[in-house]
Amino acid sequence: MTHESAVPPGTTVAQIGETQLLEAFLPVATTRGPHVLVGPGDDCAVVAAPGERVVLTTDTLTLGQDFRTVWPCGYRTTGTDLGHKCAAQNLADVAAMGAVPTAVVVSLTLPGDTPVQWVADFAAGLSRAFEELGATECALVGGDLGRGAELSVTATVTGRCEGEPVLRSGATGGGTLVHAGVLGRAAAGLDALEAGSPGPWDAVAGSERLALRAAQLRPAPPVPLGPVLARAGATAMLDVSDGLLRDAGRIARASGLRIDLDPAALEPCVAALAGPAAAAGADPWQWVLTGGEDHGLLAVLPVDSPVPPGARAIGSCAPASPVGRHRTNGPEGQPGRGPSVTVAGRSSAQWFGRDVVEGWDHFEP
Amino acid sequence: MTHESAVPPGTTVAQIGETQLLEAFLPVATTRGPHVLVGPGDDCAVVAAPGERVVLTTDTLTLGQDFRTVWPCGYRTTGTDLGHKCAAQNLADVAAMGAVPTAVVVSLTLPGDTPVQWVADFAAGLSRAFEELGATECALVGGDLGRGAELSVTATVTGRCEGEPVLRSGATGGGTLVHAGVLGRAAAGLDALEAGSPGPWDAVAGSERLALRAAQLRPAPPVPLGPVLARAGATAMLDVSDGLLRDAGRIARASGLRIDLDPAALEPCVAALAGPAAAAGADPWQWVLTGGEDHGLLAVLPVDSPVPPGARAIGSCAPASPVGRHRTNGPEGQPGRGPSVTVAGRSSAQWFGRDVVEGWDHFEP
């Protein structure tokens, strides 16, 4: 779906001025909301901050690193896709604090041959994601449009906390590990997008391929569940952006925990991916345990707290013993730091029967 | 000046992991401050927002578009330079609302061959700029480190307002146009950086060349004067990022004003640049009236308000007549919109005796 702008079809950003580009961008963006005191057009936006505090996060998507214009499977990333993904990953960070997203500022770095329509589609995709992902109090309040050789977008999102913000480090007493959202689907979708044709993915049903690609291109974090989990008593939370094992390890290290994942609880996620995995020759457990970019919410609840609808228990957490604290845990673990994450009581390598890449590091050598 | 990091000299970001890169970045950054409730390390930072509102702005600097790694004059932009400039342009936007900067999140997109030391220098330059520019309540609270082919940095800054935020549109009754900071020096510095040798800039004294280059590389907006001008009664304000004529035009259009600049009041800025301009064969008036990136503050005060120390009156503002509102005003003006900015009662073209490029548009065709 595209969104009409006032310039002739095919016009590129190099052919018009900044003012005209803003005129293509702003009318299709959601720029009003309950927290917008001053919207786009001044040197700063002014955003309401109930409770005299604001949560704040920023994320960048860069062409070639975080997405491709044209994928090996032939799919071409649309402006709407990128607007959605840009919103989704930032909204998930706000939700992971137990907070409600209130405002977004976005900076676009655009090659001169970028169609103006692409920029309008980005604004529409970003704004529609607010609605689709349940961030109904959120609005675009400002940004920066600039030129560059490489397409890149950076969004910064603010949010309001109802109670205390939920950190990664608050689960010192242990508890139940719960997850809301999907696991492994964005990683499977990445494999599908990266697959050429003819190739193993041709054996996967077209509708399933499309759904998995969409999981990678337009992830759907359960944004409203962030505050729900906070109210349910979550003592630690983050969004799973770099893979379950790696992100569970982050909570474990920050809170001083041993986390044991329950494979039986993860089995439904694996079963849902078994068909495409078998056809494509992939291991669905690898997708579920190490795949990033689903942006689901991973939280620790007190053992006696009911798990709210939309989340499910996937493991248990106990305070790390001094010995446990000295075990290594994946690429970020170092001797003497970080307690471990296990699967049914075994290291992930033992459980898999082989070494696994535990998740995504933007700078891994 | 460089700042020691724990990795061997010459190490690039491609050779280490994200965790190690953060370990090089965070210790040299100012991450504590009076408004930091939760600093780097969680999915979001949490920042205090006195008065239950926050001002918010974002800006990107992209290699090739906003700066060069190596300038034609031979100068090599340092990480410290870019950290300073990134801070300065965002702090100026906050100041222009009459607000006090409280927190920064920064996203770095780094080619693999970027030295880790460069990243540490960026963090130090950013943090030191908080001090040097008087943003003493400001801290770095989070960010995003990613890879890309093109070096790019995006900072988002929050601020607190003491009174009502000062918009561009509030000076509907006219008043005195005042400016704080420097004019034309960053533009002169850009010319100096862009000049090869041998060339006309060789005739300019070395110390003067260095000072002007520094004005471009490390602009010094008068950040504390933002709240001072707000308390002095400023009814409209912005920071001069794209040139005095263009930015005055923005206030004029937003507030419905005619603005007349007083050349006698601008004469000291011009005189200070006369020497290098004569040597380099440039027009100092062009630098002062159209040069961007000085990030001084341009405000409208009621005619009976004293001009606070550090600012000076540079023109007068009157409500636009219906006829005036139909005059064009530079590249952003269109027939039927926007009242005009004049110089001693004449259009800038008449006053110069020729057409002038009125300022910077990132997408000007």
Side-chain angles (χ1 to χ4, degrees):
Chain A
M1 179 178 168
T2 59
H3 305 268
E4 280 184 31
S5 65
V7 299
T11 305
T12 67
V13 299
Q15 294 171 315
I16 62 169
E18 195 169 356
T19 308
Q20 273 181 288
L21 189 56
L22 276 172
E23 284 167 3
F25 186 92
L26 287 177
V28 289
T30 301
T31 56
R32 294 182 186 192
H35 305 288
V36 182
L37 305 178
V38 175
D42 260 279
D43 286 35
C44 292
V46 186
V47 178
E52 297 211 314
R53 62 189 171 177
V54 70
V55 306
L56 189 67
T57 182
T58 193
D59 259 311
T60 296
L61 288 167
T62 302
L63 178 64
Q65 182 72 13
D66 299 298
F67 67 97
R68 296 183 194 273
T69 307
V70 183
W71 297 85
C73 74
Y75 184 81
R76 181 175 287 272
T77 303
T78 66
T80 321
D81 289 338
L82 205 63
H84 179 106
K85 185 157 184 168
C86 175
Q89 64 181 21
N90 279 285
L91 296 174
D93 280 329
V94 170
M97 304 297 285
V100 177
T102 53
V104 177
V105 290
V106 65
S107 180
L108 295 178
T109 301
L110 301 167
D113 63 358
T114 307
V116 173
Q117 185 61 56
W118 191 97
V119 180
D121 289 346
F122 177 88
L126 185 91
S127 298
R128 213 167 50 198
F130 300 162
E131 283 297 320
E132 287 180 12
L133 302 176
T136 52
E137 297 181 22
C138 194
L140 181 79
V141 296
D144 185 27
L145 295 172
R147 285 275 285 275
E150 188 173 64
L151 183 64
S152 161
V153 304
T154 300
T156 305
V157 183
T158 58
R160 64 173 179 85
C161 283
E162 289 166 351
E164 284 306 299
V166 184
L167 309 186
R168 298 178 177 188
S169 54
T172 51
T176 305
L177 187 73
V178 303
H179 180 266
V182 299
L183 282 167
R185 294 186 66 79
L190 184 62
D191 280 6
L193 286 160
E194 293 281 4
S197 181
W201 276 89
D202 291 340
V204 179
S207 62
E208 188 126 46
R209 279 207 308 271
L210 283 180
L212 291 175
R213 286 181 195 169
Q216 165 62 222
L217 296 164
R218 302 194 187 195
V223 176
L225 282 176
V228 168
L229 286 163
R231 284 194 295 270
T235 50
M237 187 152 51
L238 50 60
D239 86 295
V240 181
S241 51
D242 296 334
L244 179 59
L245 284 176
R246 176 170 289 223
D247 284 317
R250 289 176 170 147
I251 287 184
R253 276 189 299 281
S255 286
L257 298 180
R258 270 183 305 113
I259 292 180
D260 189 44
L261 299 172
D262 175 7
L266 298 170
E267 180 60 42
C269 305
V270 173
L273 293 167
D283 179 350
W285 279 103
Q286 176 94 22
W287 285 339
V288 167
L289 287 174
T290 71
E293 299 189 279
D294 288 312
H295 300 292
L297 298 173
L298 187 67
V300 180
L301 291 181
V303 282
D304 52 356
S305 292
V307 178
R312 63 170 167 263
I314 63 164
S316 58
C317 314
S321 64
V323 174
R325 294 184 73 94
H326 283 265
R327 294 191 39 204
T328 63
N329 181 52
E332 286 183 29
Q334 291 176 14
R337 299 174 59 191
S340 62
V341 176
T342 52
V343 184
R346 297 152 73 193
S347 76
S348 54
Q350 286 175 321
W351 192 81
F352 269 112
R354 58 187 165 85
D355 277 340
V356 289
V357 176
E358 291 210 343
W360 180 249
D361 183 328
H362 289 286
F363 288 96
E364 199 154 80
Chain B
M1 178 177 170
T2 59
H3 305 268
E4 281 184 32
S5 64
V7 299
T11 305
T12 67
V13 299
Q15 294 172 313
I16 62 169
E18 195 169 356
T19 308
Q20 274 181 289
L21 188 57
L22 275 172
E23 283 168 1
F25 187 93
L26 287 177
V28 291
T30 300
T31 55
R32 294 180 187 196
H35 304 289
V36 182
L37 304 178
V38 175
D42 260 279
D43 286 35
C44 291
V46 186
V47 178
E52 297 211 313
R53 62 190 171 179
V54 68
V55 306
L56 188 67
T57 181
T58 194
D59 259 312
T60 296
L61 289 166
T62 301
L63 177 65
Q65 182 72 15
D66 300 297
F67 67 97
R68 295 183 195 272
T69 307
V70 182
W71 296 85
C73 75
Y75 183 82
R76 181 174 285 271
T77 303
T78 67
T80 321
D81 289 337
L82 204 64
H84 180 104
K85 185 157 184 167
C86 175
Q89 65 181 21
N90 280 285
L91 296 175
D93 281 328
V94 170
M97 304 297 285
V100 176
T102 53
V104 177
V105 290
V106 65
S107 180
L108 296 178
T109 300
L110 301 166
D113 63 357
T114 307
V116 174
Q117 185 63 55
W118 191 97
V119 180
D121 289 346
F122 177 89
L126 185 91
S127 298
R128 211 165 54 198
F130 300 162
E131 284 297 320
E132 287 180 13
L133 301 177
T136 52
E137 297 181 22
C138 195
L140 181 79
V141 295
D144 185 28
L145 297 172
R147 286 276 283 277
E150 188 174 64
L151 183 65
S152 162
V153 305
T154 300
T156 304
V157 183
T158 58
R160 65 172 179 85
C161 283
E162 290 166 352
E164 283 306 299
V166 184
L167 309 185
R168 298 177 176 188
S169 54
T172 51
T176 305
L177 187 73
V178 304
H179 180 266
V182 300
L183 282 167
R185 295 186 66 78
L190 183 63
D191 280 6
L193 285 161
E194 293 281 4
S197 180
W201 276 90
D202 292 340
V204 178
S207 62
E208 187 126 49
R209 277 208 307 272
L210 284 180
L212 291 175
R213 286 181 196 170
Q216 165 63 220
L217 296 164
R218 302 194 188 197
V223 176
L225 281 177
V228 167
L229 286 164
R231 283 193 295 270
T235 51
M237 185 153 50
L238 51 59
D239 86 295
V240 181
S241 51
D242 296 333
L244 178 59
L245 284 176
R246 176 171 289 226
D247 284 316
R250 288 176 171 148
I251 287 184
R253 275 189 299 280
S255 287
L257 298 180
R258 270 182 306 113
I259 293 180
D260 189 44
L261 299 172
D262 174 8
L266 297 170
E267 180 61 42
C269 305
V270 173
L273 292 166
D283 178 351
W285 278 103
Q286 176 95 24
W287 286 337
V288 167
L289 287 175
T290 72
E293 300 189 279
D294 288 312
H295 299 291
L297 298 174
L298 187 67
V300 180
L301 292 181
V303 283
D304 52 355
S305 293
V307 177
R312 64 170 168 264
I314 63 164
S316 58
C317 314
S321 64
V323 173
R325 294 185 73 94
H326 284 266
R327 293 190 41 201
T328 62
N329 181 51
E332 288 183 31
Q334 292 176 13
R337 301 174 59 191
S340 64
V341 177
T342 51
V343 184
R346 297 151 72 193
S347 77
S348 54
Q350 286 175 323
W351 192 80
F352 269 111
R354 58 186 165 86
D355 277 339
V356 289
V357 176
E358 290 210 342
W360 180 249
D361 182 327
H362 290 283
F363 289 95
E364 198 154 82

